[in-house]
Amino acid sequence: MARTLMAAMRMADHRVDLASRLTTSDDGTAPDRRRRLRAIGQRMAARVAARYRALPTADRPDVWVTYGGGGDAPDWLGPPISADLAIPYVAIEPKGAPSEDHDIDVADAAVALSDASLARIEPIPEQTTRRVRLLPFLDTAPIAGALRIRDNHRAAIASRLQLPRRSPWILFVCTMRHGDRLASYRALARAMSRLVTLDWRLIVVGAGPAAPEVEAAMRTLPLDRVRFVGAMTPNALRLYYVTVDLAVAPAVGGTCGMSLLEAQACGVPVVASDEPGVREVVRDGVSGKLTGAGNLEALANAIGFLLRHPQFRESFAKGARRAVMTDHDIGAAARLLDDVLTSVARPPG
């Protein structure tokens, strides 16, 4: 999503500089991690601000943008750097409520990509912070070429992973981290265990520190049914999206929503839990099926139904592609982000 946001801003003729690769995520399991990250963030904020101050005025940034800061990933950089440089601060998809760690009140504009994020920014006084709702989006242009030679890609992947070409392929894309993502993997394993009498193969894309636990959960399924392919670049992953028959996501806590959007853009029907961050990108009954949050029986039943009825998969596939092209393409997002950035950067009066 961060890469796609940068692409949208560039599409609107803004120069985008990736100022830092600092990761501040803290799941609370490591003692003192938050304090150490805060200290690192404060030192880095001072260095980044000094680097920009040393540039000619015309080369300094006009706006600071942070994506996904707050909550368990505090934004230690945006507020102090924007204050130091006297430039507007824009928060996209803020994760935390106002706090001493992530004071969203200082943002000149806040952009919500989900209903949950919108609920967090709505209480902010509109006269101090511009509030904007933006549907999740992606660049659909590179997909058309891959779709044209779908059969070739499927044959290559079948050979590489030793998959039967006539069996339905199911895709799950999610980083292997502890917390909600690991819970999603475990939920998927339990759901798929109810469907072992049906013909399917599950392709798992992802990597991370919870990989051993993920693999242990998946070992409850027949060994010949699951293929782990690790982390992938967007271009490589696109070839999997265009070849599979179904994308799934238990989506505990609303994780994995963007992977579902990417799958639908490639004409893949989806089955997912009805969670915030997911319902914004999946049209129930149009592009796939949403099932009750935490209801593994309903999730398994929906997957089983689509495995048994390829005609419904085909109908949902068409609806998925059409919905993404209509509501989630990067062009509309570029125009909205351009409006936000130019409005906060424009001098008053």
Side-chain angles (χ1 to χ4, degrees), residues 18-219:
L18 180 59
S20 171
R21 296 183 181 275
L22 176 65
T23 299
T24 64
S25 180
D26 174 21
D27 61 9
T29 59
D32 209 32
R33 175 177 169 82
R34 193 178 187 88
R35 184 192 62 79
R36 289 185 286 108
L37 285 172
R38 181 173 188 169
I40 293 170
Q42 289 171 337
R43 292 195 299 271
M44 182 169 288
R47 289 200 301 270
V48 172
R51 186 179 80 220
Y52 284 127
R53 282 199 311 273
L55 296 174
T57 303
D59 294 332
R60 295 175 189 173
D62 299 299
V63 180
W64 179 278
V65 178
T66 291
Y67 165 66
D72 62 0
D75 181 11
W76 305 121
L77 304 184
I81 292 174
S82 58
D84 191 312
L85 300 178
I87 59 175
Y89 170 51
V90 175
I92 299 180
E93 192 65 359
K95 301 297 185 184
S99 71
E100 64 177 8
D101 293 336
H102 181 74
D103 191 358
I104 193 63
D105 286 337
V106 306
D108 296 271
V111 180
L113 299 175
S114 65
D115 290 341
S117 178
L118 184 63
R120 283 191 286 269
I121 68 176
E122 279 182 333
I124 306 170
E126 197 162 14
Q127 62 269 27
T128 61
T129 300
R130 183 180 178 188
R131 305 191 304 265
V132 178
R133 179 67 161 93
L134 174 63
L135 290 175
F137 64 93
L138 75 171
D139 186 358
T140 60
I143 295 170
L147 283 172
R148 281 195 293 269
I149 52 174
R150 177 186 187 273
D151 290 345
N152 293 355
H153 294 312
R154 187 170 174 103
I157 292 173
S159 175
R160 186 183 314 135
L161 300 183
Q162 294 298 293
L163 291 173
R165 291 181 62 179
R166 295 187 180 277
S167 295
W169 297 358
I170 302 173
L171 185 69
F172 182 45
V173 181
C174 191
T175 55
M176 296 179 180
R177 299 212 305 261
H178 295 93
D180 287 342
R181 286 168 176 78
L182 176 56
S184 294
Y185 274 105
R186 287 171 169 164
L188 179 61
R190 291 196 295 272
M192 297 309 299
S193 69
R194 300 167 181 252
L195 301 171
V196 293
T197 59
L198 299 178
D199 183 26
W200 52 265
R201 296 298 185 275
L202 176 64
I203 302 172
V204 176
V205 178
E213 292 95 326
V214 168
E215 291 170 6
M218 292 297 169
R219 279 197 293 271

Side-chain angles (χ1 to χ4, degrees), residues 263-265 267-269 286-288 315-325:
Q264 291 173 95
V268 179
V286 174
S287 58
S315 174
F316 287 154
K318 293 176 180 177
R321 176 94 172 133
R322 186 167 54 247
V324 172
M325 296 296 291

Side-chain angles (χ1 to χ4, degrees), residues 318-349:
K318 293 176 180 177
R321 176 94 172 133
R322 186 167 54 247
V324 172
M325 296 296 291
T326 302
D327 298 328
H328 300 281
D329 188 64
I330 193 172
R335 291 189 291 274
L336 187 145
L337 289 170
D338 177 53
D339 178 62
V340 171
L341 296 173
T342 54
S343 67
V344 298
R346 187 177 299 121

Side-chain angles (χ1 to χ4, degrees), residues 220-257:
T220 61
L221 301 174
L223 292 178
D224 67 327
R225 298 294 189 96
V226 183
R227 302 291 189 276
F228 293 97
V229 297
M232 288 192 170
T233 65
N235 288 340
L237 180 55
R238 189 179 303 122
L239 303 185
Y240 281 81
Y241 281 130
V242 300
T243 57
V244 298
D245 302 284
L246 183 64
V248 298
V252 176
T255 58
C256 312

